[in-house]
mmCIF file of all heavy atoms in Angstrom:
data_model
loop_
_atom_site.group_PDB
_atom_site.id
_atom_site.type_symbol
_atom_site.label_atom_id
_atom_site.label_comp_id
_atom_site.label_asym_id
_atom_site.label_seq_id
_atom_site.Cartn_x
_atom_site.Cartn_y
_atom_site.Cartn_z
ATOM 1 N N VAL A 16 -13.147 22.587 2.093
ATOM 2 C CA VAL A 16 -11.773 22.482 1.568
ATOM 3 C C VAL A 16 -11.145 21.246 2.193
ATOM 4 O O VAL A 16 -11.245 21.070 3.446
ATOM 5 C CB VAL A 16 -10.921 23.716 1.853
ATOM 6 C CG1 VAL A 16 -9.544 23.538 1.397
ATOM 7 C CG2 VAL A 16 -11.614 24.951 1.239
ATOM 8 N N ARG A 17 -10.466 20.353 1.423
ATOM 9 C CA ARG A 17 -9.957 19.140 1.904
ATOM 10 C C ARG A 17 -8.497 19.026 1.576
ATOM 11 O O ARG A 17 -7.957 19.526 0.606
ATOM 12 C CB ARG A 17 -10.685 17.961 1.233
ATOM 13 C CG ARG A 17 -12.040 17.718 1.705
ATOM 14 C CD ARG A 17 -12.703 16.543 0.945
ATOM 15 N NE ARG A 17 -13.147 16.944 -0.402
ATOM 16 C CZ ARG A 17 -12.477 16.695 -1.560
ATOM 17 N NH1 ARG A 17 -11.362 15.936 -1.440
ATOM 18 N NH2 ARG A 17 -12.954 16.995 -2.734
ATOM 19 N N ALA A 18 -7.773 18.239 2.417
ATOM 20 C CA ALA A 18 -6.446 17.756 2.091
ATOM 21 C C ALA A 18 -6.518 16.219 2.286
ATOM 22 O O ALA A 18 -7.300 15.730 3.037
ATOM 23 C CB ALA A 18 -5.412 18.311 3.030
ATOM 24 N N GLN A 19 -5.678 15.529 1.528
ATOM 25 C CA GLN A 19 -5.697 14.091 1.545
ATOM 26 C C GLN A 19 -4.245 13.543 1.367
ATOM 27 O O GLN A 19 -3.492 14.044 0.570
ATOM 28 C CB GLN A 19 -6.620 13.487 0.451
ATOM 29 C CG GLN A 19 -6.434 14.026 -0.905
ATOM 30 C CD GLN A 19 -7.653 14.707 -1.512
ATOM 31 O OE1 GLN A 19 -8.703 14.845 -0.848
ATOM 32 N NE2 GLN A 19 -7.523 15.103 -2.852
ATOM 33 N N GLY A 20 -3.989 12.599 2.228
ATOM 34 C CA GLY A 20 -2.688 11.939 2.161
ATOM 35 C C GLY A 20 -2.785 10.444 2.471
ATOM 36 O O GLY A 20 -3.599 10.001 3.274
ATOM 37 N N LEU A 21 -1.949 9.615 1.746
ATOM 38 C CA LEU A 21 -2.019 8.199 1.938
ATOM 39 C C LEU A 21 -0.590 7.655 1.715
ATOM 40 O O LEU A 21 0.158 8.068 0.844
ATOM 41 C CB LEU A 21 -2.972 7.585 0.846
ATOM 42 C CG LEU A 21 -3.077 6.053 0.821
ATOM 43 C CD1 LEU A 21 -4.560 5.747 0.406
ATOM 44 C CD2 LEU A 21 -2.110 5.415 -0.213
ATOM 45 N N TYR A 22 -0.234 6.685 2.546
ATOM 46 C CA TYR A 22 1.032 5.949 2.434
ATOM 47 C C TYR A 22 0.785 4.426 2.590
ATOM 48 O O TYR A 22 0.292 4.076 3.645
ATOM 49 C CB TYR A 22 2.092 6.445 3.400
ATOM 50 C CG TYR A 22 3.405 5.849 3.232
ATOM 51 C CD1 TYR A 22 4.387 6.490 2.506
ATOM 52 C CD2 TYR A 22 3.733 4.583 3.791
ATOM 53 C CE1 TYR A 22 5.638 5.882 2.238
ATOM 54 C CE2 TYR A 22 4.979 4.005 3.595
ATOM 55 C CZ TYR A 22 5.908 4.710 2.872
ATOM 56 O OH TYR A 22 7.148 4.142 2.591
ATOM 57 N N ALA A 23 1.142 3.689 1.571
ATOM 58 C CA ALA A 23 1.084 2.205 1.671
ATOM 59 C C ALA A 23 2.471 1.729 1.443
ATOM 60 O O ALA A 23 3.142 2.036 0.441
ATOM 61 C CB ALA A 23 0.158 1.641 0.655
ATOM 62 N N SER A 24 3.041 0.982 2.442
ATOM 63 C CA SER A 24 4.462 0.556 2.341
ATOM 64 C C SER A 24 4.740 -0.235 1.115
ATOM 65 O O SER A 24 3.935 -0.984 0.599
ATOM 66 C CB SER A 24 4.820 -0.171 3.603
ATOM 67 O OG SER A 24 4.089 -1.364 3.718
ATOM 68 N N GLY A 25 6.008 -0.207 0.708
ATOM 69 C CA GLY A 25 6.507 -0.966 -0.502
ATOM 70 C C GLY A 25 7.620 -1.876 -0.116
ATOM 71 O O GLY A 25 8.262 -1.754 0.925
ATOM 72 N N ASP A 26 7.862 -2.903 -0.963
ATOM 73 C CA ASP A 26 8.824 -3.890 -0.720
ATOM 74 C C ASP A 26 10.234 -3.295 -1.208
ATOM 75 O O ASP A 26 10.364 -2.783 -2.308
ATOM 76 C CB ASP A 26 8.530 -5.185 -1.469
ATOM 77 C CG ASP A 26 9.393 -6.331 -1.040
ATOM 78 O OD1 ASP A 26 9.063 -6.950 0.000
ATOM 79 O OD2 ASP A 26 10.413 -6.563 -1.676
ATOM 80 N N LYS A 27 11.236 -3.550 -0.417
ATOM 81 C CA LYS A 27 12.540 -2.926 -0.700
ATOM 82 C C LYS A 27 13.454 -3.914 -1.423
ATOM 83 O O LYS A 27 14.493 -3.485 -1.954
ATOM 84 C CB LYS A 27 13.226 -2.436 0.593
ATOM 85 C CG LYS A 27 12.424 -1.385 1.356
ATOM 86 C CD LYS A 27 13.129 -1.029 2.648
ATOM 87 C CE LYS A 27 12.322 0.048 3.397
ATOM 88 N NZ LYS A 27 12.997 0.451 4.664
ATOM 89 N N ASP A 28 13.171 -5.216 -1.380
ATOM 90 C CA ASP A 28 14.138 -6.201 -1.995
ATOM 91 C C ASP A 28 13.236 -7.386 -2.500
ATOM 92 O O ASP A 28 12.708 -8.168 -1.733
ATOM 93 C CB ASP A 28 15.148 -6.689 -0.945
ATOM 94 C CG ASP A 28 16.182 -7.632 -1.572
ATOM 95 O OD1 ASP A 28 15.977 -8.058 -2.761
ATOM 96 O OD2 ASP A 28 17.118 -8.049 -0.865
ATOM 97 N N PRO A 29 13.158 -7.543 -3.841
ATOM 98 C CA PRO A 29 12.303 -8.608 -4.421
ATOM 99 C C PRO A 29 12.747 -10.020 -4.037
ATOM 100 O O PRO A 29 12.021 -10.990 -4.163
ATOM 101 C CB PRO A 29 12.273 -8.294 -5.865
ATOM 102 C CG PRO A 29 12.888 -6.937 -6.040
ATOM 103 C CD PRO A 29 13.737 -6.676 -4.854
ATOM 104 N N PHE A 30 14.149 -10.167 -3.741
ATOM 105 C CA PHE A 30 14.657 -11.501 -3.614
ATOM 106 C C PHE A 30 14.918 -11.995 -2.191
ATOM 107 O O PHE A 30 15.410 -13.058 -1.996
ATOM 108 C CB PHE A 30 15.985 -11.509 -4.313
ATOM 109 C CG PHE A 30 15.891 -11.002 -5.790
ATOM 110 C CD1 PHE A 30 16.428 -9.811 -6.172
ATOM 111 C CD2 PHE A 30 15.216 -11.759 -6.730
ATOM 112 C CE1 PHE A 30 16.296 -9.339 -7.470
ATOM 113 C CE2 PHE A 30 15.107 -11.360 -8.035
ATOM 114 C CZ PHE A 30 15.677 -10.077 -8.397
ATOM 115 N N ASP A 31 14.430 -11.232 -1.199
ATOM 116 C CA ASP A 31 14.598 -11.758 0.196
ATOM 117 C C ASP A 31 13.288 -12.488 0.637
ATOM 118 O O ASP A 31 12.426 -12.667 -0.134
ATOM 119 C CB ASP A 31 15.006 -10.609 1.122
ATOM 120 C CG ASP A 31 13.897 -9.497 1.250
ATOM 121 O OD1 ASP A 31 12.764 -9.768 0.743
ATOM 122 O OD2 ASP A 31 14.161 -8.470 1.835
ATOM 123 N N ASN A 32 13.264 -12.834 1.870
ATOM 124 C CA ASN A 32 12.082 -13.588 2.356
ATOM 125 C C ASN A 32 11.139 -12.667 3.146
ATOM 126 O O ASN A 32 10.426 -13.107 4.018
ATOM 127 C CB ASN A 32 12.516 -14.737 3.291
ATOM 128 C CG ASN A 32 13.289 -14.194 4.476
ATOM 129 O OD1 ASN A 32 13.657 -13.018 4.628
ATOM 130 N ND2 ASN A 32 13.522 -15.134 5.492
ATOM 131 N N LYS A 33 11.072 -11.396 2.748
ATOM 132 C CA LYS A 33 10.163 -10.407 3.288
ATOM 133 C C LYS A 33 9.256 -9.849 2.235
ATOM 134 O O LYS A 33 9.747 -9.498 1.106
ATOM 135 C CB LYS A 33 10.990 -9.286 4.007
ATOM 136 C CG LYS A 33 11.868 -9.784 5.141
ATOM 137 C CD LYS A 33 12.615 -8.548 5.718
ATOM 138 C CE LYS A 33 13.529 -8.975 6.808
ATOM 139 N NZ LYS A 33 14.262 -7.840 7.383
ATOM 140 N N ALA A 34 7.959 -9.745 2.507
ATOM 141 C CA ALA A 34 6.987 -9.165 1.675
ATOM 142 C C ALA A 34 6.497 -7.867 2.380
ATOM 143 O O ALA A 34 5.664 -7.936 3.287
ATOM 144 C CB ALA A 34 5.876 -10.105 1.291
ATOM 145 N N GLN A 35 6.999 -6.720 1.981
ATOM 146 C CA GLN A 35 6.747 -5.484 2.697
ATOM 147 C C GLN A 35 5.765 -4.537 1.979
ATOM 148 O O GLN A 35 5.527 -3.465 2.470
ATOM 149 C CB GLN A 35 8.062 -4.773 2.977
ATOM 150 C CG GLN A 35 9.087 -5.586 3.776
ATOM 151 C CD GLN A 35 10.415 -4.928 3.789
ATOM 152 O OE1 GLN A 35 11.062 -4.625 2.746
ATOM 153 N NE2 GLN A 35 10.980 -4.682 5.037
ATOM 154 N N GLY A 36 5.200 -4.989 0.904
ATOM 155 C CA GLY A 36 4.252 -4.167 0.212
ATOM 156 C C GLY A 36 2.857 -4.350 0.736
ATOM 157 O O GLY A 36 2.391 -5.456 0.825
ATOM 158 N N PHE A 37 2.142 -3.281 1.013
ATOM 159 C CA PHE A 37 0.758 -3.395 1.504
ATOM 160 C C PHE A 37 -0.172 -3.620 0.359
ATOM 161 O O PHE A 37 -0.178 -2.878 -0.695
ATOM 162 C CB PHE A 37 0.347 -2.153 2.336
ATOM 163 C CG PHE A 37 -1.014 -2.257 2.909
ATOM 164 C CD1 PHE A 37 -1.168 -2.823 4.140
ATOM 165 C CD2 PHE A 37 -2.152 -1.839 2.182
ATOM 166 C CE1 PHE A 37 -2.419 -2.948 4.720
ATOM 167 C CE2 PHE A 37 -3.410 -1.902 2.792
ATOM 168 C CZ PHE A 37 -3.541 -2.457 3.990
ATOM 169 N N ASP A 38 -1.118 -4.534 0.503
ATOM 170 C CA ASP A 38 -2.206 -4.773 -0.440
ATOM 171 C C ASP A 38 -3.466 -5.081 0.360
ATOM 172 O O ASP A 38 -3.433 -5.661 1.459
ATOM 173 C CB ASP A 38 -1.861 -5.897 -1.383
ATOM 174 C CG ASP A 38 -2.773 -5.885 -2.609
ATOM 175 O OD1 ASP A 38 -3.591 -4.903 -2.812
ATOM 176 O OD2 ASP A 38 -2.705 -6.862 -3.399
ATOM 177 N N ALA A 39 -4.608 -4.589 -0.201
ATOM 178 C CA ALA A 39 -5.873 -4.854 0.425
ATOM 179 C C ALA A 39 -6.460 -6.198 0.045
ATOM 180 O O ALA A 39 -5.917 -6.874 -0.853
ATOM 181 C CB ALA A 39 -6.824 -3.707 0.074
ATOM 182 N N ILE A 40 -7.611 -6.534 0.574
ATOM 183 C CA ILE A 40 -8.272 -7.710 0.112
ATOM 184 C C ILE A 40 -9.114 -7.426 -1.032
ATOM 185 O O ILE A 40 -8.905 -8.026 -2.172
ATOM 186 C CB ILE A 40 -9.245 -8.248 1.259
ATOM 187 C CG1 ILE A 40 -8.468 -8.523 2.539
ATOM 188 C CG2 ILE A 40 -9.975 -9.504 0.814
ATOM 189 C CD1 ILE A 40 -9.319 -8.862 3.724
ATOM 190 N N PHE A 41 -9.957 -6.449 -1.043
ATOM 191 C CA PHE A 41 -10.736 -5.956 -2.145
ATOM 192 C C PHE A 41 -11.107 -4.535 -1.924
ATOM 193 O O PHE A 41 -12.132 -4.164 -1.351
ATOM 194 C CB PHE A 41 -11.992 -6.835 -2.365
ATOM 195 C CG PHE A 41 -12.735 -6.630 -3.675
ATOM 196 C CD1 PHE A 41 -12.416 -7.283 -4.761
ATOM 197 C CD2 PHE A 41 -13.795 -5.641 -3.729
ATOM 198 C CE1 PHE A 41 -13.103 -7.079 -6.003
ATOM 199 C CE2 PHE A 41 -14.431 -5.409 -4.912
ATOM 200 C CZ PHE A 41 -14.094 -6.112 -6.102
ATOM 201 N N GLU A 42 -10.240 -3.624 -2.372
ATOM 202 C CA GLU A 42 -10.444 -2.166 -2.026
ATOM 203 C C GLU A 42 -11.537 -1.548 -2.997
ATOM 204 O O GLU A 42 -11.630 -1.986 -4.140
ATOM 205 C CB GLU A 42 -9.116 -1.393 -2.223
ATOM 206 C CG GLU A 42 -8.514 -1.476 -3.611
ATOM 207 C CD GLU A 42 -7.366 -0.485 -3.765
ATOM 208 O OE1 GLU A 42 -7.388 0.532 -3.175
ATOM 209 O OE2 GLU A 42 -6.444 -0.877 -4.583
ATOM 210 N N ASN A 43 -12.196 -0.620 -2.502
ATOM 211 C CA ASN A 43 -13.094 0.143 -3.248
ATOM 212 C C ASN A 43 -13.162 1.533 -2.652
ATOM 213 O O ASN A 43 -14.190 2.010 -2.010
ATOM 214 C CB ASN A 43 -14.535 -0.405 -3.286
ATOM 215 C CG ASN A 43 -15.356 0.048 -4.430
ATOM 216 O OD1 ASN A 43 -14.979 1.019 -5.097
ATOM 217 N ND2 ASN A 43 -16.450 -0.608 -4.701
ATOM 218 N N PRO A 44 -12.097 2.317 -2.732
ATOM 219 C CA PRO A 44 -11.841 3.523 -1.891
ATOM 220 C C PRO A 44 -12.771 4.728 -2.245
ATOM 221 O O PRO A 44 -12.905 5.073 -3.472
ATOM 222 C CB PRO A 44 -10.376 3.847 -2.121
ATOM 223 C CG PRO A 44 -10.092 3.319 -3.487
ATOM 224 C CD PRO A 44 -10.884 2.119 -3.639
ATOM 225 N N GLN A 45 -13.355 5.283 -1.284
ATOM 226 C CA GLN A 45 -14.058 6.647 -1.452
ATOM 227 C C GLN A 45 -13.096 7.678 -0.862
ATOM 228 O O GLN A 45 -13.203 8.120 0.327
ATOM 229 C CB GLN A 45 -15.397 6.560 -0.670
ATOM 230 C CG GLN A 45 -16.294 5.537 -1.112
ATOM 231 C CD GLN A 45 -16.647 5.581 -2.554
ATOM 232 O OE1 GLN A 45 -17.067 6.646 -3.071
ATOM 233 N NE2 GLN A 45 -16.451 4.485 -3.335
ATOM 234 N N PHE A 46 -12.120 8.075 -1.755
ATOM 235 C CA PHE A 46 -11.042 8.854 -1.214
ATOM 236 C C PHE A 46 -10.329 9.591 -2.469
ATOM 237 O O PHE A 46 -10.272 9.010 -3.494
ATOM 238 C CB PHE A 46 -10.008 7.950 -0.489
ATOM 239 C CG PHE A 46 -8.885 8.652 0.215
ATOM 240 C CD1 PHE A 46 -9.082 9.282 1.369
ATOM 241 C CD2 PHE A 46 -7.634 8.666 -0.341
ATOM 242 C CE1 PHE A 46 -8.033 9.928 2.088
ATOM 243 C CE2 PHE A 46 -6.568 9.307 0.275
ATOM 244 C CZ PHE A 46 -6.789 9.947 1.529
#
């Protein structure tokens, strides 16, 4: 029996000088 949880941060303001969304290089998740 398994439980699974994941959180990848997101960007809150498209127009500022911060990029807060998480992205991988080349994901291939076994999850």
Side-chain angles (χ1 to χ4, degrees):
V16 179
R17 289 178 282 104
Q19 49 238 5
L21 178 148
Y22 186 93
S24 64
D26 193 85
K27 299 178 181 180
D28 184 354
F30 305 110
D31 63 11
N32 62 350
K33 298 177 182 178
Q35 299 170 307
F37 183 87
D38 197 7
I40 303 172
F41 191 89
E42 60 169 329
N43 201 346
Q45 302 301 307
F46 187 77

